[in-house]
Amino acid sequence: MALAELQALEREWVIPTYVRNQVEFVRGQGVSLWDDSGVEYLDFLAGISVLNVGHCHPRVVAAIQEQTAKLTHVSNLYYTEQAMRLSQELAQSSLGGKVFLCNSGAEANEAAIKLARRHRPGGDIVVLPDAFHGRTYGALSATPQEAKQAPFAPLVPGFVVSEKDPAAIDAAIGSRTAAVLLEPIQGEGGVLPLSAEFLQAARAACDREGAALIFDEVQTGMGRTGTLWAYEQTGVVPDALTSAKALGGGLPIGALVTGEKLADTLRPGDHGSTFAGGPVTCAAALAALEICSEPDLLAHVSAMGERFIAALEELPFVVSVRGRGLLIGAELASGVSAIELARRALLEERLVINATGPSSLRMEPPLIVTEAQIDEAVRRLGRLVP
Ligand code: PLP
């Protein structure tokens, strides 16, 4: 169907919550996407860190095809090998406790909020400015952004916002605090890494007060920053983490993973979801997790990230570059609109990136991106602002 026809259908039938770009994609492979005219694009957004393994990775495709032909769904009232094995692999790859599977990042954070309230009934949850934890009510209440929250008040009570400095987080955590929920690198906020001092202060105050420290690794996890989980590079181990996005290799799945201390905090009947832990998404996730755990790939992410950051820093219209591994944000010189640049990158240079604010670009290519593709992306960006 032609783009104009899709736009007509959208105008008539789609609740207009998304502002879409003027492109229809029909195929993806590795780091490439193709539009309906057969034009190839370099995908340096990867579905906002969903396609960490690249589009249509053969091992993920094979796992999905094989499982789809055998069993697509069964209620959580019964066992499947895929859900049990994925829970084991996720726990063993990170905090060593137990896992609740769900369908998205917001849902994983909802489970984390419930975990926190079971841990300390009625307790507060401390969150940070610039955070993004999702659009459902609990996750939105943990996302202190006026534009996203205000139209939907009243929100869930009991969320406390702390400034992002060590003394502030120390003071914000007290005997009423059930949990601190944070992204080790704030993705939607503009790729803003939290400092080691800040995370250590949060850890120490949680230990002192018996609060749970929960990392939202929905965007930073699955190898994105050069280790399977971003917390591994911070020197701080959380009590629980949430994962989604890249976990399913392109299919929708989320997970709450606990350490041993919180492994049995949620009890039978406390939480659930019809589609959670379905065999097809779990089969895809088992394949994606295996690929993203490979030491060679993780070393490649770090090397490619360094190359990419160094090349971006050379662009005359880039003021500074933030991030770790292949989660990268670039701050642009005044007068250069990130929103306009991302739009032109797509339409003029066939490069998929996005803007997290008026002056800030975000780039998250698949982890399998090559040196040549990074150099080409930087060349294409450079041509946009001569
Ligand atoms: N948490 C973080 C850190 C995210 O970046 C996102 C999505 O961008 C979410 C949670 C929400 O995930 P989902 O859109 O799958 O609900």
Side-chain angles (χ1 to χ4, degrees):
M1 225 181 244
L3 185 62
E5 290 175 84
L6 298 180
Q7 288 170 320
L9 286 178
E10 183 186 44
R11 270 194 303 279
E12 191 164 4
W13 300 110
V14 180
I15 294 175
T17 60
Y18 300 107
V19 180
R20 288 177 220 274
N21 287 284
Q22 309 296 299
V23 174
E24 176 195 0
F25 286 122
V26 297
R27 190 161 74 83
Q29 189 65 58
V31 185
S32 292
L33 279 166
W34 285 268
D35 70 14
D36 55 325
S37 312
V39 175
E40 185 176 350
Y41 295 66
L42 265 183
D43 184 3
F44 270 49
L45 192 56
I48 317 187
S49 201
V50 167
L51 281 316
N52 284 13
V53 298
H55 290 273
C56 296
H57 192 291
R59 278 157 63 187
V60 174
V61 171
I64 294 170
Q65 286 176 335
E66 201 178 301
Q67 187 56 46
T68 307
K70 271 201 288 201
L71 178 72
T72 55
H73 177 76
V74 67
S75 161
N76 277 304
L77 298 174
Y78 309 97
Y79 287 95
T80 67
E81 182 183 325
Q82 290 72 29
M84 297 307 117
R85 274 186 46 223
L86 179 61
S87 301
Q88 176 190 28
E89 298 288 338
L90 272 171
Q92 287 181 341
S93 78
S94 58
L95 304 176
K98 291 185 181 173
V99 173
F100 176 82
L101 296 172
C102 54
N103 307 292
S104 69
E107 279 187 38
N109 288 327
E110 295 292 336
I113 292 164
K114 277 187 148 180
L115 176 83
R117 289 267 161 81
R118 262 290 188 214
H119 173 61
R120 182 162 278 169
D124 291 330
I125 293 160
V126 176
V127 295
L128 303 178
D130 304 313
F132 184 82
H133 297 294
R135 306 279 192 156
T136 53
Y137 258 91
L140 179 65
S141 304
T143 298
Q145 296 182 32
E146 176 74 9
K148 291 189 174 69
Q149 288 187 338
F152 304 106
L155 300 173
V156 179
F159 288 83
V160 172
V161 183
S162 161
E163 286 310 311
K164 292 188 278 182
D165 74 76
I169 193 79
D170 183 75
I173 298 168
S175 58
R176 278 191 47 76
T177 308
V180 177
L181 175 62
L182 58 82
E183 302 151 84
I185 301 173
Q186 298 179 308
E188 302 298 309
V191 190
L192 309 171
L194 297 174
S195 71
E197 299 71 42
F198 177 83
L199 294 173
Q200 279 155 13
R203 179 70 276 174
C206 283
D207 288 343
R208 185 186 69 221
E209 304 292 348
L213 181 60
I214 304 173
F215 280 12
D216 176 342
E217 293 239 23
V218 167
Q219 193 161 158
T220 55
M222 293 295 286
R224 173 54 59 192
T225 69
T227 43
L228 184 60
W229 307 107
Y231 82 81
E232 296 170 51
Q233 293 176 65
T234 66
V236 168
V237 180
D239 300 305
L241 66 80
T242 55
S243 174
K245 284 190 182 281
L247 178 57
L251 294 193
I253 185 168
L256 164 68
V257 188
T258 76
E260 278 175 19
K261 213 171 67 186
L262 297 176
D264 293 309
T265 303
L266 287 170
R267 305 167 200 164
D270 272 357
H271 204 31
S273 163
T274 296
F275 286 112
V280 177
T281 49
C282 285
L286 279 163
L289 185 59
E290 191 178 75
I291 297 162
C292 290
S293 303
E294 284 165 8
D296 286 355
L297 181 65
L298 294 169
H300 176 77
V301 172
S302 301
M304 291 305 103
E306 279 169 27
R307 184 182 187 91
F308 197 12
I309 289 173
L312 287 169
E313 281 170 344
E314 294 296 313
L315 291 174
F317 57 91
V318 171
V319 173
S320 62
V321 185
R322 299 179 294 265
R324 201 169 295 145
L326 287 168
L327 173 52
I328 294 173
E331 201 59 33
L332 305 182
S334 71
V336 185
S337 157
I339 295 158
E340 183 57 13
L341 204 69
R343 196 188 66 81
R344 288 183 50 219
L346 180 76
L347 298 178
E348 295 172 25
E349 291 291 343
R350 315 298 184 200
L351 174 65
V352 184
I353 54 175
N354 95 324
T356 50
S359 63
S360 151
L361 284 181
R362 173 171 50 177
M363 286 146 289
E364 308 191 51
L367 310 185
I368 53 169
V369 70
T370 63
E371 281 185 2
Q373 286 164 329
I374 283 179
D375 297 348
E376 176 59 21
V378 175
R379 255 194 307 279
R380 291 186 192 188
L381 264 181
R383 283 201 293 258
L384 288 168
V385 188

